[in-house]
Amino acid sequence: MKAVAEIARGANEPSITPVWSRELLSARHPPRITCTHREYEEVLHMKRAIISPNDLQERSFFFGPPEIATIRRRFIPHHLGPYTTFEIITACLWRCRTIALQMDPNEEARMMVTVNARAKFKPPIPVGCPAAVTTAGKLYGNPISCAL
């Protein structure tokens, strides 16, 4: 998109040359499934009705270095290893959202995050999964470190 915008503004060539290395994304031959991709599963049964937009309130939360340091110090045991700020904020929001929605403890609580992975592509494409799934009860009854 950046390249298209640059050319639309009159550039002779984009600052980032398009890469067509589609072979990086080719399936194995023959294709084989090596892991479960929970992010593509359809959620068939929700025990609680989806919340109406009229019942939601929008708020902004700012997590600066002092807030992240407090969360690390108070809620994450040192022996669990280093976590990124992104992982800590995501775990906190996942747990707090699940509690706020008052989900049934046996219901699946999913956290899916879409991120720009461009910086990660320097062949090979890293292995990973953009979805985490557990039960609401495990998020309720355990510390934030469980969500991490």
Side-chain angles (χ1 to χ4, degrees):
M1 293 305 295
K2 182 177 179 180
V4 171
E6 289 173 347
I7 291 172
R9 285 192 295 266
N12 291 329
E13 60 184 52
S15 61
I16 299 173
T17 310
V19 177
W20 299 109
S21 301
R22 293 181 179 172
E23 69 277 1
L24 295 174
L25 303 175
S26 295
R28 295 174 189 87
H29 188 71
R32 61 186 164 97
I33 298 171
T34 59
C35 61
T36 303
H37 286 280
R38 303 292 305 266
E39 65 273 21
Y40 297 116
E41 291 178 353
E42 184 178 346
V43 179
L44 298 175
H45 303 288
M46 291 188 68
K47 294 177 183 168
R48 191 170 196 283
I50 294 180
I51 294 177
S52 161
N54 296 334
D55 294 335
L56 297 177
Q57 293 184 15
E58 186 176 318
R59 296 285 186 266
S60 296
F61 298 91
F62 297 95
F63 291 87
E67 291 82 10
I68 296 299
T70 299
I71 293 169
R72 282 185 199 274
R73 187 177 58 254
R74 293 189 63 197
F75 300 111
I76 303 170
H78 296 288
H79 70 278
L80 288 181
Y83 289 103
T84 66
T85 299
F86 174 80
E87 291 168 329
I88 290 169
I89 291 172
T90 303
C92 287
L93 292 175
W94 184 23
R95 185 171 186 270
C96 291
R97 178 185 179 274
T98 303
I99 292 168
L101 291 176
Q102 300 174 351
M103 293 173 67
D104 180 286
N106 296 314
E107 189 171 353
E108 278 190 351
R110 295 174 179 227
M111 172 55 74
M112 292 182 271
V113 179
T114 303
V115 296
N116 179 354
R118 180 184 296 272
K120 306 273 185 206
F121 288 86
K122 291 177 185 150
I125 296 172
V127 176
C129 179
V133 181
T134 190
T135 63
K138 286 182 181 174
L139 287 173
Y140 292 156
N142 289 293
I144 292 172
S145 57
C146 178
L148 282 164

